[in-house]
Amino acid sequence: MATTLAPETPDSPKTGDRTPVFSVRDMWKVFGPKADRVPGSPDAELSAADLRARTGCTAAVRDVSFDVEPGEVFVVMGLSGSGKSTLVRCLTRLIEPTSGTLKIDGEDVMAMDKARLRDLRRHRAAMVFQHFGLLPHRSVLDNIAYGLEIQGMGKAERRAKAAEMVEKVGLTGLERRRPGQLSGGQQQRVGLARALAVDPEVLLFDEPFSALDPLIRRDMQEEVIRLHHEERRTMVFITHDLSEALRLGDRIMLMRDGGIVQIGTPEEIVGSPADEYVRDFVRDVPREQVLTVRRAMRPAKSDEEDGGPALTPGTTVADAIEAVARSGGPARVVDGGRCLGVVDHACLLSVVAGLDGKEAAAA
Ligand SMILES: Nc1ncnc2c1ncn2[C@@H]1O[C@H](COP(=O)(O)OP(=O)(O)O)[C@@H](O)[C@H]1O
Ligand SMILES: [Mg+2]
């Protein structure tokens, strides 16, 4: 297959120019009697509560379409019961979608036979669960090697590979312990190492850190960010926690009652919420830490093009406010030597207040 590979820039996963890792269209998962009759019928238009009352069915995933691009962290966020776990299980058909199309690297997942699906789950898409799923009587090392054992790899080889992963996730020295002798955070590192050991194209995380204490949780998030920067491995990360979503996601898909409310970068979700529901969801987010100067800047006047500090377009508004305060004048937003615009105190504060650049200029 002839695909053109665009040069990669490490900070911005390219969208649209490569085959998506996952491509999902019009997907439904309906639980209940005669579930397959719901998609496409008039009942499909009913609210979750009305659908349940009328048919006894739950539409856990409701007409969902999205792509996961190579190398991105794609976060699926939503309150408990919004359909996140069902959706992620549908991606490898651990749960069978009721209708819709599903592709991995352009290959039709719905058409895969049992053997092909097994291969998909063992080699291509590895899952990290909230409740670790570790084998209690095995050592850390053998737990990490488990996925390789299932693949049929010999003992010496899989132990060598597992030992590499021990180091990668910071478990050195604990190889011989049993899971019961580890803290929650350490157990989740074992779960992560086990998923990484099979070197999958994509890692699927279903709320892996929800059961961890806040500080350990923060550590694990850092770990995921570090791993992602090192490897650029594609990740689908499920969470009900907005701050976790904002911290980890290149893009975030917000779900409600099985449907998609909005897909966007953290900056888009916080800066341009699609509706009142999203606006409410992000109300307490410190905007200056998520929004960037790209959104805050105004056109440069001719005498501003050369002077003042230079900021990259990805600089947060919080950092820009500091830079502007230090220099005492506007800062330039510069990308590849080109001045895209400037930010001053007034336009930075107005994006924090919730006005975008144009409204601010008019104000
Ligand atoms: N096996 C099942 N049978 C019936 N309903 C289910 C089943 N699994 C999930 N559901 C329902 O589907 C909805 C979405 O559940 P889930 O995907 O677990 O949400 P989340 O992971 O976002 O908390 C919920 O209303 C849940 O009760
Ligand atoms: Mg869930």
Side-chain angles (χ1 to χ4, degrees):
M1 197 171 51
T3 46
T4 36
L5 291 181
E8 270 190 85
T9 50
D11 285 318
S12 59
K14 292 277 170 193
T15 49
D17 57 354
R18 285 194 286 173
T19 310
V21 175
F22 283 112
S23 188
V24 176
R25 292 293 175 274
D26 314 317
M27 182 185 278
W28 285 80
K29 175 61 197 184
V30 183
F31 292 106
K34 305 195 176 107
D36 53 323
R37 291 197 191 166
V38 173
S41 79
D43 289 344
E45 310 295 327
L46 297 175
S47 71
D50 288 348
L51 179 70
R52 195 166 308 133
R54 218 180 107 77
T55 67
C57 288
T58 303
V61 174
R62 180 184 277 267
D63 200 16
V64 157
S65 300
F66 61 93
D67 288 335
V68 176
E69 304 294 342
E72 78 173 331
V73 180
F74 187 83
V75 168
V76 180
M77 181 182 63
L79 301 178
S80 174
S82 59
K84 307 177 299 294
S85 293
T86 305
L87 177 64
V88 77
R89 279 164 183 74
C90 282
L91 293 179
T92 56
R93 288 176 57 197
L94 286 171
I95 291 177
E96 202 61 67
T98 306
S99 67
T101 62
L102 168 61
K103 291 179 182 164
I104 183 167
D105 302 323
E107 184 184 350
D108 185 357
V109 177
M110 299 311 293
M112 287 182 180
D113 61 14
K114 274 202 174 123
R116 192 80 188 132
L117 271 179
R118 202 176 308 129
D119 176 72
L120 166 68
R121 294 172 196 150
R122 284 184 188 171
H123 297 268
R124 295 167 78 179
M127 188 102 180
V128 183
F129 298 97
Q130 180 179 354
H131 297 294
F132 322 137
L134 304 180
L135 303 164
H137 302 297
R138 292 197 176 200
S139 68
V140 164
L141 196 69
D142 285 334
N143 263 289
I144 295 172
Y146 182 66
L148 301 169
E149 186 177 341
I150 289 184
Q151 286 183 0
M153 189 182 280
K155 191 163 187 172
E157 197 186 345
R158 68 177 190 249
R159 286 200 152 174
K161 181 89 198 171
E164 260 177 59
M165 296 305 131
V166 162
E167 199 171 332
K168 188 170 249 174
V169 303
L171 286 171
T172 307
L174 304 177
E175 296 88 336
R176 310 189 73 83
R177 291 211 191 163
R178 315 266 152 173
Q181 300 169 306
L182 300 176
S183 70
Q186 289 165 339
Q187 290 187 50
Q188 195 49 279
R189 282 173 198 267
V190 178
L192 183 57
R194 180 170 60 189
L196 282 170
V198 300
D199 195 21
E201 179 183 0
V202 50
L203 280 173
L204 308 176
F205 297 89
D206 189 359
E207 307 220 23
F209 309 145
S210 299
L212 304 177
D213 295 336
L215 285 179
I216 295 170
R217 183 174 186 154
R218 188 68 185 241
D219 270 1
M220 292 303 294
Q221 290 166 354
E222 296 297 330
E223 192 75 25
V224 166
I225 291 169
R226 186 181 64 76
L227 277 171
H228 186 249
H229 280 200
E230 276 172 18
E231 310 189 334
R232 305 308 297 175
R233 199 184 301 267
T234 310
M235 300 179 176
V236 177
F237 195 103
I238 289 185
T239 183
H240 65 265
D241 181 282
L242 177 62
S243 63
E244 185 164 82
L246 294 171
R247 194 169 300 139
L248 296 180
D250 290 311
R251 289 191 303 150
I252 298 169
M253 176 166 107
L254 181 56
M255 292 183 75
R256 180 191 193 186
D257 287 339
I260 298 174
V261 192
Q262 185 171 4
I263 301 180
T265 61
E267 181 163 24
E268 285 163 351
I269 300 266
V270 171
S272 313
D275 63 13
E276 276 309 305
Y277 181 76
V278 186
R279 198 181 303 279
D280 236 31
F281 219 97
V282 301
R283 191 179 300 284
D284 298 327
V285 172
R287 293 166 62 84
E288 67 281 6
Q289 285 169 27
V290 178
L291 303 181
T292 66
V293 293
R294 211 180 269 119
R295 184 173 284 265
M297 67 189 178
R298 58 165 174 80
K301 297 173 192 139
S302 57
D303 62 330
E304 289 174 332
E305 298 236 350
D306 305 312
L311 307 172
T312 61
T315 306
T316 61
V317 166
D319 288 345
I321 288 174
E322 244 189 82
V324 166
R326 252 199 320 266
S327 82
R332 291 166 304 136
V333 180
V334 179
D335 192 23
R338 217 160 59 84
C339 178
L340 305 179
V342 297
V343 286
D344 56 24
H345 209 67
C347 65
L348 289 168
L349 289 185
S350 57
V351 291
V352 176
L355 305 167
D356 71 14
K358 282 185 223 91
E359 289 170 74

